[in-house]
Amino acid sequence: MTRLGEREIRADSIIYFPRGLVGLEDKREFSLLPIREGDSPFLLLQCTTDPGLGLLVADPYSFLDDYDVKIENPERKVLKVENIRQLAVLVTVTIPQDKPEDTTLNLQGPIVINTEAKIGLQVPQTEAGYPTHFHPIGA
Amino acid sequence: MLILTRRPGESLYLGDTIKLKILSVQGKQIKIGLDVPEDMTVYREEVYLKIKEQNRQALEISQQDLLAAAALWQKKEQKK
């Protein structure tokens, strides 16, 4: 079971977060599920050990072309980065209750995934000065 | 909370892998130097708390709003 109802999660789709997520340090295994069929930039980062726990995330590059995520050496090490092309970037999404038109992307805490090694890490951006709430819809 | 007094130039060790050195004090600002293991990440508290709050918000989205936002974006895309 997931927050989107019954979904089959393949074992090889599980992404391991050695540090969990900020505030959810004890949750280590997640899987990315599409919200709808087709070409939606929104995904659910579903915890595979806790069915009720799933975060809405989005591909930031569907909304902004020049979002530049800085990954320092300690983080590269955790992610076991060998090649920058292994990395995918997601951001969490905030939707105020009953106001989907006020959806914002949280650009300060991107979630970086090594898609080959299946390792994930949330990488707080300290210096970049990105807004915590970026309005992609109706902007 | 353990409270210690240090002067600029003096250091503290947290365990045997983390060294925290007071570099200078200027008015209300204290400059701290950190020697930490290579794979240890260090974050400012306010950034960390903000991201924690955002994660909580991303968790609490109702399924209805989630589908509505996805639909809204899809509509916008098609208009382009």
Side-chain angles (χ1 to χ4, degrees):
Chain A
M1 273 303 277
T2 71
R3 279 199 64 200
L4 292 169
E6 195 111 14
R7 292 282 186 101
E8 197 178 329
I9 293 172
R10 297 204 339 248
D12 64 1
S13 76
I14 292 175
I15 303 157
Y16 184 68
F17 284 70
R19 306 257 169 105
L21 292 168
V22 173
L24 301 161
E25 281 79 4
D26 58 332
K27 307 292 180 198
R28 301 291 169 88
E29 290 181 10
F30 290 86
S31 186
L32 276 171
L33 306 174
I35 301 288
R36 308 158 56 105
E37 298 306 315
D39 215 14
S40 169
F42 294 104
L43 298 157
L44 190 74
L45 188 64
Q46 172 68 47
C47 177
T48 57
T49 55
D50 185 346
L53 197 131
L55 290 89
L56 182 60
V57 297
D59 164 22
Y61 300 106
S62 296
F63 305 91
L64 312 113
D65 296 327
D66 61 346
Y67 179 46
D68 189 21
V69 174
K70 208 168 176 185
I71 307 170
E72 306 286 351
N73 276 334
E75 291 152 345
R76 283 173 196 271
K77 226 166 172 170
V78 173
L79 283 163
K80 300 201 166 100
V81 186
E82 287 158 8
N83 186 320
I84 201 88
R85 279 187 296 252
Q86 295 174 311
L87 297 181
V89 175
L90 295 165
V91 293
T92 61
V93 178
T94 302
I95 307 177
Q97 204 182 345
D98 300 324
K99 282 188 173 171
E101 66 278 8
D102 290 340
T103 296
T104 55
L105 303 183
N106 309 330
L107 300 183
Q108 236 185 30
I111 293 164
V112 181
I113 295 168
N114 180 335
T115 55
E116 281 169 36
K118 302 261 188 285
I119 300 171
L121 181 69
Q122 192 158 31
V123 184
Q125 300 292 295
T126 47
E127 315 290 353
Y130 281 114
T132 51
H133 291 95
F134 173 81
H135 281 262
I137 295 171
Chain B
M1 188 182 275
L2 170 70
I3 298 169
L4 298 165
T5 303
R6 298 271 72 190
R7 291 195 167 82
E10 293 179 337
S11 297
L12 287 171
Y13 281 87
L14 307 181
D16 49 13
T17 54
I18 301 168
K19 183 180 170 184
L20 207 147
K21 185 172 184 178
I22 307 303
L23 298 175
S24 65
V25 182
Q26 283 177 324
K28 283 189 172 175
Q29 283 200 320
I30 300 168
K31 217 168 241 172
I32 300 171
L34 289 160
D35 283 329
V36 300
E38 262 199 312
D39 62 346
M40 179 174 279
T41 48
V42 176
Y43 302 118
R44 288 182 173 83
E45 184 185 34
E46 61 273 23
V47 174
Y48 189 87
L49 292 179
K50 223 180 268 171
I51 291 166
K52 190 170 162 177
E53 171 61 15
Q54 290 172 354
N55 283 352
R56 195 189 60 74
Q57 287 169 347
L59 269 173
E60 283 187 353
I61 293 163
S62 74
Q63 187 160 348
Q64 194 188 332
D65 285 341
L66 197 142
L67 293 171
L72 207 69
W73 177 253
Q74 227 149 20
K75 255 187 257 159
K76 210 171 151 79
E77 279 284 90
Q78 280 158 8
K79 266 191 245 160
K80 274 187 191 169

